Amino acid sequence: YQIFDVEKVYLYEESTSNHDNITKEYSFIRKRTSLNKDGQASGSVYGWTAVQKTCDGQIVEKKRIITKREYNSLFNNRDKNRHVVRQKRISFLWNIQSFNVHVYQEPVHDICILHAQVKATPENLEETEVDIPNFLDVDRLLTDSEEGEKYGAYNISLRNGATD
């Protein structure tokens, strides 16, 4: 398994009307710091992501690796209507499945989300089941995208009074 500290910072949000079939666009920067077995930082990588939501519900992400200097510059120009989101992530493999546990630390500290990736094809998508490891206690499944979005960093980052 691997443990990371993750910091997500939202930069801007732009709602558009039928421009290239895009209904919403926003971007964020991320710092992912690897932690060794003693919990000490052992290096960071930085990234920028632009997210576009289309009229037909598709989500398109464009990602780029950035330098620490670019990260610091963009951080200073962040969206002040949003909190910086900090998480601890634990990544591991189990029965040919990839899992990521997102433990939110700021601005909330009582949410923990398990993301699972399994091999699926368009033919067996409906039949694909996640084999949740028996050492994890899962409270409930987030089955629809609206409920899943509620617990995503994008919505958690909103400050009181701000709306999505």
Side-chain angles (χ1 to χ4, degrees), residues 100-150:
N100 287 292
V101 179
H102 299 230
V103 181
Y104 284 91
Q105 298 175 316
E106 289 180 37
V108 297
H109 61 274
D110 58 348
I111 297 175
C112 181
I113 304 291
L114 173 67
H115 286 262
Q117 283 187 298
V118 297
K119 184 177 180 180
T121 63
E123 296 80 31
N124 74 352
L125 189 58
E126 296 296 322
E127 302 161 8
T128 303
E129 288 192 29
V130 177
D131 180 18
I132 297 176
N134 57 5
F135 55 85
L136 294 177
D137 181 20
V138 176
D139 184 47
R140 64 189 169 102
L141 297 177
L142 302 178
T143 54
D144 65 33
S145 61
E146 187 174 307
E147 187 178 30
E149 285 181 13
K150 175 182 174 184

Side-chain angles (χ1 to χ4, degrees), residues 34-151:
S34 299
L35 303 178
N36 63 23
K37 302 298 181 200
D38 297 325
Q40 301 299 311
S42 62
S44 297
V45 293
Y46 304 88
W48 169 85
T49 302
V51 180
Q52 296 176 327
K53 294 185 179 184
T54 64
C55 293
D56 60 359
Q58 298 290 321
I59 296 176
V60 178
E61 291 186 350
K62 297 175 189 172
K63 296 185 177 197
R64 182 170 73 86
I65 296 170
I66 60 175
T67 65
K68 182 177 181 179
R69 176 181 276 179
E70 287 174 298
Y71 180 87
N72 290 334
S73 176
L74 290 167
F75 185 94
N76 290 330
N77 293 308
R78 68 189 178 277
D79 183 350
K80 302 292 196 280
N81 289 319
R82 293 181 175 276
H83 292 282
V84 173
V85 177
R86 291 185 174 85
Q87 308 171 342
K88 188 163 297 290
R89 286 195 191 166
I90 305 161
S91 300
F92 63 95
L93 297 174
W94 176 265
N95 287 343
I96 313 175
Q97 300 169 110
S98 174
F99 290 92
N100 287 292
V101 179
H102 299 230
V103 181
Y104 284 91
Q105 298 175 316
E106 289 180 37
V108 297
H109 61 274
D110 58 348
I111 297 175
C112 181
I113 304 291
L114 173 67
H115 286 262
Q117 283 187 298
V118 297
K119 184 177 180 180
T121 63
E123 296 80 31
N124 74 352
L125 189 58
E126 296 296 322
E127 302 161 8
T128 303
E129 288 192 29
V130 177
D131 180 18
I132 297 176
N134 57 5
F135 55 85
L136 294 177
D137 181 20
V138 176
D139 184 47
R140 64 189 169 102
L141 297 177
L142 302 178
T143 54
D144 65 33
S145 61
E146 187 174 307
E147 187 178 30
E149 285 181 13
K150 175 182 174 184
Y151 294 105

